[in-house]
Amino acid sequence: MDTEGTYDARGTGAERVPRPAGPPPAAPPPPTYAPQPRRPAADGPGVEEWLRTPRPVREPGVWRYGHVPRPPEKPEGVSDRSLLVGVLISLLSGLLLWSLWRNGYIPYRLVPLKLFTPGDWWYAGTFGGPRTIEGADALTVYEAVLFGLLVYGCGRLGNWSEIFRRHVAGRGQPFLGLATAAGGALAELLVWKDAVPLVRPVLILVASVAGGEIYQSQTVVNVIYALIALGVLWPFARLGRWRELAAARRGRAAAVPDAPAGPPDAPTPEQWPELREAGMRDAAEALTAEVRTGRMNDVDVARLRHAWSVGRGHPERLAALTEAVLRTGGAAALHPSGARDLARRTVRHDLLTGQVRIGSCTDDPHNPYARRGSGVALEPALLGTSLLAVGPPGAGKSARLVRPVVESLALQALAGRAAVLAVGGAGGELGPDDAFDVVVRIGDPASVHDFDLYGGTTDPDEAAGVLAEGLVGDVTHLDSRRAATVLAQLLGPYRAVHGHFPGVPALRELLDGDTAAIDALREALGAGGHQSMLRELEARTRQKGGAGDPGPVLADRIALLDRPAFAPFFATGDQARPFSLRSLEHLPLRVRIDLPERAHAEASRLLTRLVLAQFTAVTAARTDRSLFVCLVLDDATHTVTAETVRGIRRLRSVNAGALLTLRTVDDVPEGLHTALLGAVGCCMAFSGVTTWDGKRFAEVWGKEWVETREVAQHAVFADQPFTRALHGLRKLVTGKAVTRDAVTVRRVERERWSASELAYQVPPGHAVLSVTTVEGEHAPPLLVTLDG
């Protein structure tokens, strides 16, 4: 098996794969190979484009691949009806004022003009008009200025700009260009028909500056007319962005980059800039060619990046990695199984960030505005705080949550960054057999691997503690520490004599207090000189049958495993072939354990408790914690105990995590409800939970301050006869009394999600998810559409 020193860096080798291991695969062929090109997703882009796609850093749980932030929320504006009414009223008011002005009905209209012009230009009196040509020209310019101010004032009062942005500019091109062109044509018609005072005032101003003789040249007049026409069209061209529209039509629209471009010779992501900076230019060129020719997939990229990050502090390993890259290209530093991808993917993955997309946030008032419509993803940084999912059967826990997470962890295991242990019922939805390195089918004679009840340890006390938790951890009236003491008093002497722990039949005989088995063990200890272990056995013999002796309960529980269907699965000794969870300490393994839930439900629960207890114990004792290890329990019913809750709480500090699914929180002892919900950092409530479960989640997610608006209608009483008559007429027409609204705005503290909302307002195929990172960053509970 050619690991190129990558996995040996942890002090392990391929021989640590649990027995029986097949022969190591042949080394990959030289760079002349032509493997089938793969894509990061079945319908996704190529690897080169996938590498170049931006992944902005966002809040926890956001699908970062190609994420585009949502535009800022627009405040509640005026309704379209109010806008149209305002435009109509301002337009009619402007026309009325202009008509009154032109017909002389506005008094003292010429007083401001007469204050700033010579008196001999005007007839005497307040209403006297222009006497000279200069006065008539001044009046023409004066009216043009007032007309412009009137149009500007009506536009501001009628909010013309808002209706233009909403109904014209908001529709984009080419409608914007066509609408402004029509507006420009109408403006030109009004200007040249002298309905809008513009041409004569311009001609008067030009003559006052350059002299009247300038109009003796027809060319000059034509130029002035052309400038007037262009001046009228210029604001419409700016509003309609005619230049951009014309450039787009000609195919020369230039895209404006969001960020300043780097230097022309800066390497792009597919050119492996980190290797070039480290001086490994040949390896970088080889990998760049592999990416561009389609001979690498996203798993290869993630695996080699991880191998590079692991080996940076070890020059000799970097040299071996460089040589392997030059020799085998993207097939360097392969996973111990030799696999480079899964045969089939069911959801979208992004191995650069380690995320798996499970759904998207709905457009719901419970969700923050910025998160609505964004993708929702899980990653090791979130799973490291552990995740508890609760939902009734058929809610989609297995298909839309467990399967995507297991698939993501399996891909990350192929990249050398994680190890996964998935536990579920036989025939479940955890994934096909070829997606796992080890498949343990308990109760199936065709299973290649057995299961180690003792977790691969050689310490009797440690083995007794874990086994006691699995056997009687759910018995509320029995202290598991006393049960562990009883087991240690038997496991230690047995191992001292036989060199291994007892199998299920032998352990059952010892717990039952079988005289022949006890006497044989006592004689063997005496003959071997194991006096300390003999004292342990004698202590157990004296305590047998006493008040509160956990031995009978332990014997009854171990009898669940002493069945003909399980006879070859829990053997010990040289002929045994058990799988031990300690294999997950250093190797990026993909392991699946199938339990016989239908035929042996109680035994399956016992084994699930044992797996959970072993997992928490093994991960806590790891010395090398660079590998993320995750346990996935497809059904954790009657599995959680007080000790395993404490173990789950410790997982985030040892780079490990667990995903537990329950049909209801009542599947956990009532005394552990608060402890379990407080131990996990991520909670997920599926559609169909009961109000009792919803109440517990509501307590976990707490409350928030919200702004409420209360509208109260009060009757309006009129004192004047005319007003009372108007109110009576209005009531006669509308059928409603005249009222006024009293609006009260205040801030109150409310639950983020109430128990009834969780029970009755979460649609099918949806779930409410809250996440926490291992660094402690939180995200509020979000209503998620599950598309996993």
Side-chain angles (χ1 to χ4, degrees):
M1 188 173 297
D2 188 6
T3 63
E4 314 298 350
T6 304
Y7 303 107
D8 297 338
R10 298 187 179 96
T12 62
E15 66 274 11
R16 289 294 304 277
V17 178
R19 296 182 299 165
T32 56
Y33 72 98
Q36 185 70 22
R38 298 284 181 90
R39 291 176 177 267
D43 56 349
V47 176
E48 187 174 356
E49 182 181 350
W50 173 74
L51 280 169
R52 293 187 177 186
T53 302
R55 296 165 174 84
V57 178
R58 304 299 299 172
E59 297 83 2
V62 176
W63 173 251
R64 293 169 51 189
Y65 177 79
H67 175 75
V68 178
R70 193 177 188 186
E73 184 176 9
K74 296 181 179 179
E76 294 185 4
V78 184
S79 64
D80 291 345
R81 179 179 179 181
S82 299
L83 279 177
L84 293 175
V85 171
V87 169
L88 181 61
I89 292 177
S90 62
L91 183 61
L92 294 178
S93 300
L95 292 175
L96 176 61
L97 288 175
W98 185 244
S99 177
L100 294 175
W101 172 273
R102 295 296 296 266
N103 292 288
Y105 290 107
I106 297 180
Y108 309 108
R109 65 191 186 97
L110 300 181
V111 171
L113 180 60
K114 292 180 178 180
L115 293 176
F116 296 95
T117 54
D120 56 358
W121 288 6
W122 311 95
Y123 288 107
T126 304
F127 297 96
R131 175 187 295 176
T132 63
I133 296 177
E134 289 82 0
D137 293 342
L139 178 59
T140 301
V141 176
Y142 178 56
E143 289 181 343
V145 173
L146 290 180
F147 180 83
L149 293 176
L150 180 62
V151 171
Y152 176 78
C154 291
R156 291 296 301 271
L157 292 175
N159 207 359
W160 295 2
S161 59
E162 177 62 24
I163 201 168
F164 175 80
R165 285 192 298 267
R166 186 178 300 183
H167 295 285
V168 180
R171 299 182 64 174
Q173 300 287 12
F175 180 83
L176 175 60
L178 294 176
T180 52
L186 178 62
E188 292 282 0
L189 178 63
L190 295 176
V191 166
W192 297 110
K193 288 293 184 179
D194 210 19
V196 174
L198 180 63
V199 177
R200 289 187 61 201
V202 171
L203 295 176
I204 291 171
L205 291 175
V206 171
S208 65
V209 174
E213 297 81 3
I214 192 175
Y215 295 121
Q216 295 179 359
S217 172
Q218 186 62 37
T219 303
V220 173
V221 174
N222 294 336
V223 169
I224 294 176
Y225 285 166
L227 291 177
I228 293 174
L230 293 177
V232 171
L233 290 178
W234 179 79
F236 293 94
R238 288 290 303 273
L239 291 174
R241 299 195 289 272
W242 293 357
R243 180 182 298 179
E244 297 178 11
L245 179 61
R249 290 295 181 182
R250 292 194 302 267
R252 294 201 302 266
V256 180
D258 296 334
D265 55 348
T268 51
E270 78 276 5
Q271 295 177 331
W272 300 81
E274 64 274 14
L275 298 184
R276 297 177 186 273
E277 293 176 2
M280 303 168 62
R281 183 170 295 274
D282 293 341
E285 292 291 346
L287 293 178
T288 301
E290 293 279 296
V291 170
R292 290 179 174 174
T293 56
R295 294 186 293 180
M296 286 183 68
N297 59 16
D298 54 343
V299 178
D300 296 331
V301 174
R303 185 184 67 251
L304 290 175
R305 285 184 176 229
H306 177 71
W308 158 253
S309 63
V310 169
R312 274 187 298 183
H314 306 278
E316 67 283 358
R317 293 170 187 166
L318 279 184
L321 178 62
T322 303
E323 189 275 331
V325 167
L326 295 176
R327 178 167 50 90
T328 61
L334 279 179
H335 184 265
S337 65
R340 298 174 63 179
D341 200 355
L342 299 180
R344 178 174 175 266
R345 303 188 188 185
T346 58
V347 291
R348 297 181 62 187
H349 302 272
D350 183 25
L351 289 177
L352 284 189
T353 58
Q355 290 186 320
V356 53
R357 182 186 173 103
I358 62 172
S360 59
C361 292
T362 62
D363 190 2
D364 186 87
H366 287 91
N367 295 338
Y369 174 82
R371 293 298 305 270
R372 298 173 191 174
S374 64
V376 178
L378 296 176
E379 56 183 306
L382 304 178
L383 296 175
T385 62
S386 298
L387 189 153
L388 176 65
V390 179
K397 300 187 299 297
S398 299
R400 300 184 179 184
L401 174 65
V402 173
R403 175 68 181 271
V405 170
V406 171
E407 187 175 290
S408 173
L409 293 171
L411 288 171
Q412 294 185 54
L414 293 179
R417 301 188 304 196
V420 57
L421 172 61
V423 182
E429 300 180 357
L430 298 180
D433 292 351
D434 56 7
F436 297 91
D437 303 311
V438 176
V439 178
V440 182
R441 298 185 178 89
I442 298 178
D444 186 353
S447 177
V448 178
H449 296 275
D450 303 338
F451 182 73
D452 189 355
L453 292 178
Y454 305 100
T457 184
T458 58
D459 184 359
D461 292 326
E462 182 181 352
V466 174
L467 185 58
E469 196 63 35
L471 293 177
V472 296
D474 62 327
V475 181
T476 56
H477 66 275
L478 182 61
D479 188 355
S480 60
R481 291 174 295 182
R482 293 192 60 190
T485 301
V486 171
L487 288 172
Q489 291 171 342
L490 298 175
L491 297 181
Y494 191 95
R495 178 173 176 78
V497 172
H498 299 282
H500 57 81
F501 292 122
V504 170
L507 181 58
R508 181 182 180 184
E509 291 178 353
L510 294 175
L511 290 172
D512 280 333
D514 183 78
T515 305
I518 295 294
D519 291 343
L521 183 58
R522 182 184 295 109
E523 292 177 2
L525 289 172
H530 303 289
Q531 296 302 320
S532 61
M533 293 299 173
L534 184 58
R535 287 193 299 271
E536 289 283 301
L537 183 61
E538 294 298 341
R540 172 60 198 146
T541 304
R542 289 192 302 270
Q543 296 170 1
K544 180 180 177 298
D549 180 22
V553 180
L554 289 170
D556 291 342
R557 287 300 178 88
I558 202 68
L560 295 173
L561 302 181
D562 190 18
R563 308 296 301 162
F566 302 143
F569 283 93
F570 309 115
T572 57
D574 297 335
Q575 301 302 320
R577 49 179 189 178
F579 165 75
S580 170
L581 265 64
R582 293 193 178 273
S583 302
L584 300 174
E585 288 186 352
H586 305 291
L587 291 175
L589 291 177
R590 303 165 294 166
V591 183
R592 192 187 78 202
I593 299 179
D594 293 342
L595 301 175
E597 290 183 345
R598 297 179 180 176
H600 304 276
E602 191 61 32
S604 297
R605 295 171 183 170
L606 187 153
L607 291 172
T608 306
R609 283 195 303 272
L610 185 58
V611 169
L612 179 58
Q614 288 186 5
F615 180 82
T616 56
V618 168
T619 53
R622 288 194 305 165
T623 56
D624 182 6
R625 298 172 180 174
S626 59
L627 193 70
F628 177 73
V629 184
C630 188
L631 169 67
V632 179
L633 296 182
D634 192 24
D635 184 6
T637 302
H638 301 298
T639 298
V640 179
T641 65
E643 184 60 33
T644 53
V645 168
R646 287 189 286 268
I648 290 173
R649 189 179 291 112
R650 293 191 297 264
L651 291 179
R652 68 177 67 188
S653 62
V654 295
N655 196 22
L659 190 158
L660 313 177
T661 66
L662 296 171
R663 294 182 176 91
T664 173
V665 180
D666 290 331
D667 288 338
V668 176
E670 185 175 358
L672 297 178
H673 290 176
T674 302
L676 176 60
L677 291 171
V680 297
C682 306
C683 294
M684 197 168 186
F686 280 76
S687 171
V689 297
T690 63
T691 52
W692 291 272
D693 289 340
K695 180 180 179 181
R696 297 182 180 96
F697 281 106
E699 293 174 351
V700 171
W701 289 327
K703 300 179 179 181
E704 63 179 346
W705 289 97
V706 297
E707 189 177 87
T708 62
R709 294 170 57 91
E710 297 179 357
V711 181
Q713 292 185 340
H714 301 282
V716 178
F717 299 96
D719 297 331
Q720 302 298 325
F722 180 71
T723 308
R724 284 199 299 270
L726 289 178
H727 287 184
L729 178 62
R730 180 175 175 181
K731 183 176 180 180
L732 181 64
V733 173
T734 62
K736 297 180 180 180
V738 179
T739 60
R740 63 176 181 178
D741 294 340
V743 181
T744 303
V745 180
R746 60 179 179 175
R747 288 175 58 83
V748 297
E749 193 176 20
R750 289 183 178 176
E751 292 177 327
R752 299 177 185 271
W753 281 87
S754 67
S756 60
E757 288 174 334
L758 289 172
Y760 302 113
Q761 294 187 15
V762 179
H766 293 65
V768 180
L769 171 66
S770 67
V771 296
T772 305
T773 66
V774 291
E775 290 82 11
E777 189 176 358
H778 296 267
L782 305 171
L783 181 61
V784 179
T785 302
L786 299 173
D787 53 20

